[in-house]
Amino acid sequence: METIEEIIAMFGGVDGLYVVIANEPFMRLVIEHIGEGPHGLPAISVAHYYEMNGDLCQDPEMCFEIESTQHGTVMHPYMFQMANPPIYQEVSNDAQGIALTEELRQFAATWDRNLRDQGFMQAARQLHSKALM
């Protein structure tokens, strides 16, 4: 998740993080610190949102625990959801949860590449520059 990790670093780290990146024609991207994850590590939500009938809908949202190691930052996915069609998946500590973790890692890697290819990194840089003015 290079793109997300770079954005987190650009905006000062996980603690208190709340950043909304607009990048037309794509749905806005929201990255926010949501407290602690299931293993007590700092957690973030990464989501695209759209509005339908006055409600905010995720398309998708993933939650990650953030671990700092001697080799760098590791993002551990533990939740995935979409509003339409309704999907909610949470990682468990059994064989099914281990398989879901790998599936979520693969999806997150693809999503991260897409975010960069779609210009979200550049949009984040522009947002950050405006915040510094």
Side-chain angles (χ1 to χ4, degrees):
M1 297 289 299
E2 285 180 27
T3 303
I4 299 302
E5 289 174 28
E6 286 182 45
I7 293 170
I8 291 169
M10 182 185 309
F11 286 91
V14 172
D15 288 341
L17 179 67
Y18 180 79
V19 62
V20 179
I21 303 168
N23 183 28
E24 294 291 333
F26 305 103
M27 288 179 279
R28 69 180 180 256
L29 180 68
V30 178
I31 305 171
E32 64 182 314
H33 179 222
I34 56 172
E36 289 186 354
H39 298 100
L41 296 169
I44 62 164
S45 164
V46 179
H48 279 300
Y49 286 103
Y50 66 93
E51 193 172 319
M52 184 166 64
N53 300 324
D55 294 324
L56 286 179
C57 300
Q58 314 91 341
D59 186 23
E61 176 184 20
M62 288 186 75
C63 293
F64 299 88
E65 282 190 305
I66 309 297
E67 182 178 15
S68 296
T69 71
Q70 63 185 11
H71 304 291
T73 301
V74 179
M75 296 178 62
H76 302 285
Y78 68 89
M79 191 278 297
F80 175 92
Q81 69 178 334
M82 284 183 55
N84 195 13
I87 298 172
Y88 182 85
Q89 298 173 313
E90 196 168 325
V91 171
S92 57
N93 290 326
D94 56 13
Q96 191 173 18
I98 292 168
L100 177 58
T101 298
E102 184 53 34
E103 183 180 321
L104 293 179
R105 280 191 181 120
Q106 290 175 11
F107 177 84
T110 299
W111 188 20
D112 193 68
R113 282 189 304 275
N114 288 345
L115 291 172
R116 186 173 294 273
D117 291 348
Q118 292 168 350
F120 279 93
M121 191 68 226
Q122 182 61 31
R125 285 187 189 107
Q126 290 172 351
L127 179 64
H128 186 255
S129 294
K130 287 179 186 175
L132 294 176
M133 295 179 148

